[in-house]
Amino acid sequence: MKLIASLTSPYARKVRVVLAEKHIDCELEVDIPWNEDSHVPDYNPLGKIPVLLLDDGTALYDSRVIVEYLDHASPVGRMLPKESHSRILVKRWEALADGICDAAAAIFIEKKRAQTQQNSEWIIRQERKIFRGLETLAKDLGEKPWCMEAGFTLADIATGCALGYLDLRFAEIKWREAHPNLARLSAKLGSRVSFSSTAPQT
Ligand SMILES: N[C@@H](CCC(=O)N[C@@H](CS)C(=O)NCC(=O)O)C(=O)O
């Protein structure tokens, strides 16, 4: 099994954290999808990472499909609850956390364009998604130790990866001050080897 990923992608980090939490050995191939010589489109027609290459040659994407596959592949440390209502709630956390990353990545890419070509209204629209998303994450977390009552799940992993991505690309967003409960969650996640060993590298 081989994971094709970059070392900054929050979606790939989510997969890498799940691999570490579940003690699944997996080769890592670093491939930057923005590079001209990237092989990512050979495996994923959308040209996006992460891609998980299975031993039989099947290419799995995107990150939500991959983490679900991995959760089934090993019973160690279940990341998705079996019970359907809890499972859907975890997947909603993941959708929101990934959506914050989508908006942040979109701004990051837009800001790479020449300033005269940047669409400020569109950037503001993406920023609003981030701020509303953070508010909802914080409201849903409340004073619980983990996102879900039952304990550590994929919801915490997805949230931690999204917050880590904001730190990487938008250090000016002071989410820790606005949402101390998310700061507590992030610090707790950062003390896990799965998170410290996958911290974004530029
Ligand atoms: N929904 C996808 C998002 C993946 C994604 O957008 N990855 C970015 C890297 S962080 C990418 O490969 N972008 C290249 C492109 O959009 O062409 C997932 O969860 O895997």
Side-chain angles (χ1 to χ4, degrees):
M1 213 163 54
K2 183 160 79 175
L3 179 70
I4 304 176
S6 77
L7 301 179
T8 53
S9 164
Y11 317 98
R13 186 182 188 194
K14 191 176 57 172
V15 172
R16 292 164 66 212
V17 170
V18 168
L19 284 165
E21 289 287 342
K22 294 178 76 72
H23 305 289
I24 298 174
D25 279 334
C26 184
E27 188 187 339
L28 176 69
E29 182 176 308
V30 175
D31 193 329
I32 315 295
W34 301 105
N35 291 351
E36 280 299 319
D37 60 353
S38 168
H39 290 292
V40 174
D42 299 343
Y43 306 111
N44 177 356
L46 303 174
K48 295 184 179 195
I49 47 130
V51 176
L52 184 71
L53 283 185
L54 303 186
D55 293 341
D56 68 0
T58 308
L60 294 185
Y61 46 83
D62 61 6
S63 65
R64 295 185 214 178
V65 173
I66 298 173
V67 294
E68 187 147 359
Y69 170 82
L70 293 173
D71 207 34
H72 280 287
S74 162
V76 175
R78 282 262 175 238
M79 298 294 142
L80 281 157
K82 278 201 172 130
E83 191 270 314
S84 69
H85 185 67
S86 307
R87 186 182 181 87
I88 288 297
L89 288 183
V90 169
K91 293 188 76 91
R92 188 181 72 165
W93 275 96
E94 185 185 20
L96 179 54
D98 284 7
I100 290 172
C101 296
D102 293 344
I107 297 173
F108 181 70
I109 292 161
E110 183 71 7
K111 287 196 169 169
K112 283 191 161 181
R113 292 154 68 95
Q115 200 145 16
T116 49
Q117 288 177 7
Q118 291 177 22
N119 183 333
S120 56
E121 279 173 25
W122 191 82
I123 290 176
I124 289 169
R125 188 174 171 81
Q126 303 307 315
E127 283 173 348
R128 288 191 181 135
K129 294 177 199 287
I130 296 174
F131 290 115
R132 286 195 305 260
L134 285 168
E135 271 167 30
T136 302
L137 289 177
K139 180 170 75 57
D140 290 354
L141 176 61
E143 294 309 311
K144 300 195 297 300
W146 299 110
C147 298
M148 296 291 290
E149 293 282 357
F152 178 76
T153 64
L154 179 62
D156 303 290
I157 295 175
T159 301
C161 292
L163 296 173
Y165 187 65
L166 291 181
D167 281 346
L168 174 72
R169 298 295 190 215
F170 298 99
E172 68 274 20
I173 298 181
K174 302 292 178 205
W175 58 267
R176 285 182 178 79
E177 288 161 25
H179 306 295
N181 61 344
L182 293 182
R184 278 195 297 278
L185 178 71
S186 173
K188 200 158 51 164
L189 290 168
S191 68
R192 294 174 89 94
V193 174
S194 59
F195 268 83
S196 57
S197 64
T198 57
Q201 287 172 38
T202 49

